[in-house]
Amino acid sequence: MRSGIGPREELHKSGIECCVDSPGVGQNLEDHVIAFIPYEVSKPGLTTDHLSWHGAAAAKNLADYKRDRSGFLGAMPFGSFAYARLDERLGDSSLWQEARSIASPSRDPMGLSQQQPNIETFHTECAPAGFEPGSGDASIFCTVVELFGPRSAGTVRLASADPNDNPVVDHNYFADPLDLEVLAEAAHFMNEIVMKGAGTATVMKGSFPSDGKHHAFKSREEWKPWLRDHCQTCYHPTGTCKMGKDDDRMAVLDDKCTVRGVQRLRVADTSVMPKIPNGHTQMPAYGVAERCADFMKEGFTTIA
Ligand SMILES: Cc1cc2nc3c(=O)[nH]c(=O)nc-3n(C[C@H](O)[C@H](O)[C@H](O)COP(=O)(O)OP(=O)(O)OC[C@H]3O[C@@H](n4cnc5c(N)ncnc54)[C@H](O)[C@@H]3O)c2cc1C
C-alpha cells in the first residue's frame, strides 16, 4: 500500500499516490482463532511447570536457551494434538442447521468436506500471551481449541504513510456468529474430556486461576462470553493479497502470483491464499514459495 498499490480511497486517506487501484489489498484477512483454556491439576509433577517456571526454572531455561538453544525453551512446547468434526454435537444448533456452505452444497457450513475436521485441539504447559501464572507452584496446563474453516474475515489497513507506524489489523473474529458457535462447542467438548474423561477425576483440580468457573460450564452458550474475552490469534494470517480469476476485482494476483497491473512483481507468502488452509500455515507457505519459484523459472510474466 505504501508503494501505491491498493484501494485508491484508502491510499488517498494516508496521502499516498495511487499507482494501481487494487481494492483487494489488505482485505480478506483470515486467521485461525484459538483459545487457551487453563486448568490446574492436583498431582504435582504431572505437568511440566516444575521444568518451566517453578522456582528458578524460568531463569535456568533462559540461560540454557541463550547458551546453546537447549532446554525447555529449545523444545516443542506442545503435547498431543487431535482433530474432530462436530456435526453430531452441533445437531441441536439452529445456527448450524440453517447455515449453508458458501463454497458448495456438498460441504458443511464452514466450507469443509466430511473428511476435514472442524477443530484442532492440543495441550500445552506454555501460557497464552498476557497470561501470568502468578500462583507459586501450581501445576497447570492449557487445552487449546482452534477453529478451522472460519467464515469471518478482517482487514489490514495503513495507519499512515509513515513506515514506522504499525498497520491497523482488524481480525474481525466472530463477525459471523457461526464461528463462535463452533468454537464454543469445541471448548465445551474439550472441557468434558478434561473434567470427565476416563481417569481425570483423580488428577483434575479445576479451572485456573482457581476463582475461574469455566471447568463447570455446562453448555455452548456459557462458553461464548468466556471465549470472546480469551480468544487470540494462532499467528496464521492469510489472504490479504489473494490470487484469483481475471473477473474477480478483489484478486490482487493472477494465478502465477504476479501482481495485476504491475510488471515483474510477484508475491510469495501466505497473503496470496484466497482461503486459509485447514491446518497450520508454515508448510503451505513453503508450497507457495516453491510454486512461485517454478513460475519464475518458467519465465512467466503477466501484464494485466
Ligand atoms: C509465534 C508463531 C508460531 C507459529 N507456529 C507455527 C507452527 O507451529 N506451525 C506452522 O505451520 N505455522 C506456525 N506459524 C505460522 C508461520 O510461521 C507463518 O504462517 C509463516 O511464517 C508465514 O510465512 P510468510 O512467508 O507468509 O511470512 P513471514 O514468515 O512472516 O515472512 C515475511 C518476511 O518478510 C520480511 N519483511 C517484512 N517487511 C519487510 C520489508 N518492508 N522489507 C523486506 N522484508 C520485509 C520479514 O522480516 C519476514 O522475514 C507460527 C507463527 C508465529 C508468529
Side-chain angles (χ1 to χ4, degrees):
M1 287 189 198
R2 289 200 179 97
S3 308
I5 306 169
R8 183 184 300 278
E9 279 183 23
E10 196 64 30
L11 301 187
H12 283 175
K13 268 191 237 162
S14 297
I16 296 167
E17 187 192 342
C18 180
C19 305
V20 179
D21 183 14
S22 184
V25 180
Q27 301 296 306
N28 190 45
L29 171 65
E30 291 191 307
D31 196 354
H32 291 133
V33 59
I34 60 172
F36 286 69
I37 309 173
Y39 295 95
E40 185 173 356
V41 299
S42 50
K43 234 181 179 175
L46 189 65
T47 58
T48 57
D49 310 60
H50 58 294
L51 302 174
S52 54
W53 56 47
H54 287 174
K60 178 186 179 307
N61 289 331
L62 193 56
D64 286 348
Y65 187 76
K66 279 187 173 169
R67 191 184 59 250
D68 54 11
R69 301 287 187 269
S70 68
F72 186 85
L73 294 176
M76 175 77 174
F78 303 119
S80 49
F81 282 65
Y83 301 85
R85 282 206 57 83
L86 299 180
D87 312 72
E88 279 183 29
R89 297 187 61 100
L90 289 164
D92 63 348
S93 160
S94 52
L95 260 182
W96 177 262
Q97 296 301 330
E98 286 158 20
R100 293 280 168 272
S101 166
I102 304 159
S104 146
S106 64
R107 302 240 163 180
D108 79 5
M110 318 307 277
L112 304 173
S113 75
Q114 287 297 311
Q115 280 72 46
Q116 293 175 314
N118 297 114
I119 57 153
E120 176 182 78
T121 177
F122 51 96
H123 81 268
T124 180
E125 278 110 358
C126 281
F131 181 84
E132 293 294 335
S135 86
D137 56 1
S139 294
I140 70 158
F141 73 94
C142 292
T143 285
V144 182
V145 286
E146 175 171 346
L147 178 75
F148 284 163
R151 289 165 60 110
S152 309
T155 53
V156 177
R157 293 197 154 87
L158 288 181
S160 80
D162 182 349
N164 293 311
D165 279 349
N166 284 331
V168 180
V169 180
D170 178 6
H171 280 97
N172 211 15
Y173 294 138
F174 307 141
D176 188 311
L178 205 55
D179 288 352
L180 184 55
E181 186 87 348
V182 177
L183 196 66
E185 189 53 51
H188 186 36
F189 181 31
M190 289 316 298
N191 188 50
E192 279 180 7
I193 291 175
V194 168
M195 295 306 301
K196 296 184 193 158
T200 60
T202 53
V203 294
M204 288 305 303
K205 227 173 169 176
S207 305
F208 185 85
S210 54
D211 56 354
K213 300 276 179 284
H214 56 263
H215 71 278
F217 288 170
K218 291 191 171 49
S219 70
R220 199 160 54 223
E221 290 310 310
E222 280 188 275
W223 277 101
K224 287 184 180 177
W226 191 93
L227 286 170
R228 281 192 184 282
D229 285 348
H230 292 86
C231 77
Q232 65 171 83
T233 173
C234 196
Y235 304 103
H236 293 168
T238 64
T240 49
C241 210
K242 73 169 187 176
M243 56 168 56
K245 294 184 177 164
D246 292 348
D247 59 0
D248 181 355
R249 241 179 81 66
M250 301 306 280
V252 179
L253 313 177
D254 68 11
D255 62 356
K256 301 288 184 291
C257 293
T258 310
V259 179
R260 294 179 186 281
V262 186
Q263 293 183 40
R264 295 186 295 279
L265 176 63
R266 296 184 202 249
V267 178
D269 60 21
T270 54
S271 72
V272 314
M273 302 171 183
K275 188 76 200 136
I276 190 167
N278 298 312
H280 293 219
T281 42
Q282 183 68 68
M283 195 66 88
Y286 293 149
V288 168
E290 291 284 349
R291 283 302 285 147
C292 190
D294 287 344
F295 297 146
M296 291 168 77
K297 281 191 290 188
E298 288 161 13
F300 279 109
T301 49
T302 306
I303 302 167

